[in-house]
Amino acid sequence: AQSVTQLDSHVSVSEGTPVLLRCNYSSSYSPSLFWYVQHPNKGLQLLLKYTSAATLVKGINGFEAEFKKSETSFHLTKPSAHMSDAAEYFCVVSDRDSGTYKYIFGTGTRLKVLA
Amino acid sequence: EPEVTQTPSHQVTQMGQEVILRCVPISNHLYFYWYRQILGQKVEFLVSFYNNEISEKSEIFDDQFSVERPDGSNFTLKIRSTKLEDSAMYFCASSEAGGRRDGYTFGSGTRLTVV
C-alpha cells in the first residue's frame, strides 16, 4: 500500500536561510507526488506537483522539489526562507489503489521562520 | 484563479443533530472529494465522487455519512447523527482529470464542532 513519511514534524529556520522539508514515499506503482501548504485557518494550497515528467519540479513562492526514485524521496526546498513561509506543509502521494486515485497525506511539517 | 468554495466556514452543532456541509467545486471539474482533518492529526480521505456516484470511500465514511450533487453545481456532505468525534475540519476538493496529474483544488474548509 502507498504511504508518505514526513521525517520532521517541526522545522525552524532563520529568515533568509535555506529550507529543507523531507518526505519519503512508498508506492506500488509510479506515483504522482505533491506538496501542499496550509497557512493558519486557511485551506490547502498546491505548491508543486511531480507527475513523471521532469524530476526537478518548480512551484510557487520559490519552492522546488526533486523526485529521487532510488531514494523514494521528494524533499521540498527553498533557497531563502521568508517570514510568510511559516505554515504547515503536507507531502501527498496520489496512487491508484482500488481503481481511483486518492490522496494519501503525510502527517505534516510545521515550518517556523525566525526573524 | 478558479476556487472551490465551502460553506459555512464554521459550524457548531449538538451531538445527534444532522449537518450538511456545502461545497461548490470548480465548474469544469468532474471529480469531487471530501477529506477531513481532526485537530492535530493528519488529513484523511473520506470519499470520492464521479459521474454522480461514489467511486471510493474510506472506512471512516460509514452509514452516517452521505454525499450528493443535487443540482449540478453543489456537492454536499451530510452527517446524519453527529458524534463528538466528528469534530474536525472538513475539506472539499475537485479535480478535472482525477487528480493523478492535475492535482486537486481544495476549498478553505468547514470547521465542524460537535458539542
Side-chain angles (χ1 to χ4, degrees):
Chain A
Q2 59 273 33
S3 65
V4 170
T5 302
Q6 291 185 245
L7 297 157
D8 306 295
S9 58
H10 293 82
V11 170
S12 291
V13 301
S14 297
E15 191 176 21
T17 65
V19 176
L20 170 64
L21 305 183
R22 298 182 293 167
C23 172
N24 286 94
Y25 70 91
S26 170
S27 172
S28 303
Y29 301 93
S30 178
S32 293
L33 293 155
F34 307 83
W35 277 97
Y36 279 82
V37 61
Q38 185 181 29
H39 287 93
N41 301 312
K42 300 286 186 184
L44 296 157
Q45 181 185 18
L46 178 66
L47 273 181
L48 50 79
K49 60 185 178 184
Y50 166 77
T51 58
S52 76
T55 56
L56 182 61
V57 181
K58 294 188 185 299
I60 62 172
N61 301 335
F63 284 95
E64 61 182 42
E66 186 171 7
F67 174 74
K68 291 187 177 180
K69 188 174 181 179
S70 60
E71 298 177 10
T72 60
S73 69
F74 190 58
H75 302 332
L76 181 70
T77 60
K78 183 173 180 177
S80 175
H82 192 272
M83 296 298 288
S84 60
D85 294 328
E88 182 119 26
Y89 291 79
F90 293 95
C91 184
V92 177
V93 62
S94 173
D95 207 343
R96 194 178 187 95
D97 186 5
S98 61
T100 60
Y101 291 102
K102 65 183 181 190
Y103 277 14
I104 305 297
F105 279 77
T107 50
T109 298
R110 186 167 297 279
L111 176 65
K112 189 174 181 180
V113 182
L114 308 170
Chain B
E1 187 171 332
E3 291 184 343
V4 173
T5 305
Q6 288 187 246
T7 56
S9 57
H10 192 182
Q11 178 150 5
V12 181
T13 188
Q14 288 199 325
M15 193 168 54
Q17 295 295 304
E18 174 183 288
V19 296
I20 297 176
L21 310 183
R22 302 182 192 278
C23 170
V24 179
I26 293 174
S27 60
N28 65 330
H29 284 188
L30 303 176
Y31 298 79
F32 314 111
Y33 316 85
W34 284 100
Y35 283 73
R36 79 171 185 190
Q37 184 183 29
I38 294 172
L39 189 63
Q41 298 185 25
K42 65 195 299 184
V43 179
E44 302 172 291
F45 169 76
L46 290 178
V47 66
S48 58
F49 191 86
Y50 171 72
N51 200 24
N52 285 320
E53 61 183 19
I54 290 174
S55 39
E56 189 174 356
K57 59 184 180 180
S58 71
E59 291 176 356
I60 303 167
F61 194 89
D62 61 22
D63 291 344
Q64 292 299 311
F65 291 87
S66 63
V67 290
E68 195 178 30
R69 189 157 161 78
D71 55 14
S73 63
N74 290 284
F75 179 53
T76 62
L77 174 70
K78 182 191 293 185
I79 310 174
R80 287 191 185 79
S81 177
T82 50
K83 302 188 277 286
L84 294 176
E85 54 264 38
D86 294 327
S87 295
M89 179 75 94
Y90 288 80
F91 291 105
C92 174
S94 67
S95 72
E96 187 175 2
R100 182 171 189 270
R101 295 190 179 278
D102 53 331
Y104 297 178
T105 302
F106 283 89
S108 54
T110 293
R111 182 168 297 285
L112 176 66
T113 303
V114 182
V115 297

